[in-house]
Amino acid sequence: MTATAPAPISPTTTKRVLLAAPRGYCAGVDRAVVAVEKALETYGAPVYVRKEIVHNKHVVETLRDRGAIFVNETDEVPEGARLVFSAHGVSPAVRESAAARSLDTIDATCPLVTKVHKEAVRFAKDDYDILLIGHTGHEEVEGTAGEAPDHVQVVNSPDEVDQVQVRDPQKIVWISQTTLSVDETMETVRRLRDRFPELQDPPSDDICYATQNRQVAVKKLAPECDVVIVVGSANSSNSVRLVEVALQAGARTSYRVDRAAEIDPSWLDGATTVGVTSGASVPEILVQDVIDYLDGRGFADVQEVRTATEDLMFSLPRELARGLKAAGHEEKRPRRGARTALPVEPA
Ligand code: SF4
C-alpha cells in the first residue's frame, strides 16, 4: 500500500462531491465476509457467527438471508455446529467455551487484531501493566483485554488518564484498539506519558492501516466541505471516528448514515461541496447509492480525493482453507481486486 500525494482541490461555485479514497472495505473485513460466504457455500446453511461478523447492518442482513445465524454467545450454538468468530476477535475464554461445546470454529479475527492480542499476551507474560486505549464494551476491546485480564486496564479517552492506577510506573505499556481516532489516541498517550514518563510504546502501530488511511483522506477533503456524509453503521467504531475527524478537520457539518435513504435533504440546503466517505466495513454499493442520491439533487460532479492506494489482502482462515481444499473448492477472492495475498501468522 502506498501513500499518494493528492492533487490540490480547486475551489468551486458549482455543486460537487469530493469522494474520499481510500474508503470502504479493508482487508480484514473482506476476509471475514468472504469467510462466511465460503463457509455457507462449502458446508451449507446454517453457519453460526458469533456477534456481527463486521459492524455493518447491510452486510449482516445479506449474510443472514443466505443462511448465517448470528448469536451473541457460544452457548446459543448447538453442540458440534460450525461457528465463525468475527473480525473483531475473541478472548481465550470464548475459545474455551466453544471447544467445550465441540464447536467447529472458523476464526475470522482480523490478523491486525490478532497482532494486538499477541502484544497483550507478551507484555502480560513480562508482568507489565497494560493500558489498553479503546472503548469499553467494544467487542475488540473485550477480546484483547480477555487475553490478560489481570494486567489490562482500559483507558477510554484522554479524560480518563487521571484515574489510571499502576503497580510500577517503570513497567507500563500502552496498546490500543485498531479503529480509534489517531489524534485522540495520541492525546491520550501524551497525557499518560505526562503522568508516567517511562510509559512504553507498542512495538508497532495498533491503529490499523485502514483506519489511518480513511482518516487521512477525510482530513484532506473536509476543509472544503459544507457537509461530509460518512456511510457506516452506528456500532462501527471507525465510521463514527470518521465523522469526528471530518468535523475536527473543518467540515461545516458531518453525518453518519447506514444508507442513502437516511440522508435528510435539509442537510444539503445551501451546500456546494459534499464530502463522501465510508467506514472499513461498508460495501461500495452503499456509497454508490449515496452518490446516486446526490446526483439526483444536482451534485453531479464527483471528484475523487485519493491520499493512498491499498492493495493488501489476507489469506482466508486456515481451517476454512483446509475445508475448501477438502471439498475441492478453490480459494477464489474476486471481491476487491487486491493484488497481494499475505499469509497470516500463526495465532
Ligand atoms: S479496520 Fe483494520 S483491524 Fe479492523 S478489520 Fe479492518 S484492517 Fe482489520
Side-chain angles (χ1 to χ4, degrees), residues 26-29 87 110 112-113 178-179 208-211 238 280 314:
C26 61
V29 162
C110 176
L112 301 181
V113 173
T178 56
T179 50
C208 75
Y209 79 96
T211 300
N238 75 86
F314 296 123

Side-chain angles (χ1 to χ4, degrees), residues 19-165:
L19 181 58
R23 65 181 175 276
Y25 264 24
C26 61
V29 162
D30 181 56
R31 172 178 184 259
V33 174
V34 173
V36 178
E37 290 171 346
K38 293 276 183 193
L40 285 164
E41 280 165 33
T42 307
Y43 306 114
V47 166
Y48 291 83
V49 182
R50 183 182 178 273
K51 310 282 186 185
E52 293 190 348
I53 184 73
V54 299
H55 284 158
N56 185 265
K57 265 190 197 172
H58 173 88
V59 171
V60 168
E61 282 163 14
T62 305
L63 291 173
R64 188 178 280 130
D65 287 347
R66 294 178 60 178
I69 297 178
F70 293 89
V71 296
N72 277 320
E73 287 309 337
T74 49
D75 59 10
E76 297 167 49
V77 183
E79 295 221 358
R82 187 162 279 107
L83 174 68
V84 181
F85 293 140
S86 79
H88 308 103
V90 294
S91 67
V94 172
R95 289 181 197 284
E96 283 159 24
S97 141
R101 295 182 70 75
S102 305
L103 302 183
D104 198 347
T105 56
I106 295 172
D107 187 359
T109 304
C110 176
L112 301 181
V113 173
T114 301
K115 177 189 84 86
V116 183
H117 280 224
K118 287 179 179 172
E119 289 171 1
V121 170
R122 188 185 120 201
F123 285 113
K125 199 164 153 238
D126 291 342
D127 203 26
Y128 276 74
D129 275 7
I130 301 167
L131 307 180
L132 170 57
I133 302 174
H135 297 132
T136 302
H138 189 281
E139 285 141 55
E140 182 187 323
V141 168
E142 287 176 355
T144 305
E147 292 284 0
D150 296 337
H151 289 80
V152 171
Q153 58 184 301
V154 179
V155 184
N156 280 273
S157 69
D159 294 340
E160 281 195 4
V161 167
D162 289 345
Q163 289 135 46
V164 171
Q165 300 293 331

Side-chain angles (χ1 to χ4, degrees), residues 307-327:
T307 50
T309 303
E310 296 176 349
D311 58 6
L312 184 64
M313 185 168 142
F314 296 123
S315 45
L316 288 177
R318 75 187 62 191
E319 54 278 33
L320 177 61
R322 273 197 300 268
L324 293 180
K325 198 169 170 198

Side-chain angles (χ1 to χ4, degrees), residues 143-204:
T144 305
E147 292 284 0
D150 296 337
H151 289 80
V152 171
Q153 58 184 301
V154 179
V155 184
N156 280 273
S157 69
D159 294 340
E160 281 195 4
V161 167
D162 289 345
Q163 289 135 46
V164 171
Q165 300 293 331
V166 297
R167 292 169 301 160
D168 176 359
Q170 310 293 318
K171 209 165 177 187
I172 49 176
V173 63
W174 71 274
I175 60 176
S176 85
Q177 189 178 334
T178 56
T179 50
L180 300 180
S181 153
V182 174
D183 294 340
E184 184 178 300
T185 302
M186 288 305 113
E187 175 60 13
T188 306
V189 172
R190 189 188 65 72
R191 291 204 207 174
L192 283 169
R193 189 156 279 124
D194 279 351
R195 277 196 66 199
F196 308 113
E198 301 301 319
L199 176 71
Q200 279 195 37
D201 293 323
S204 60

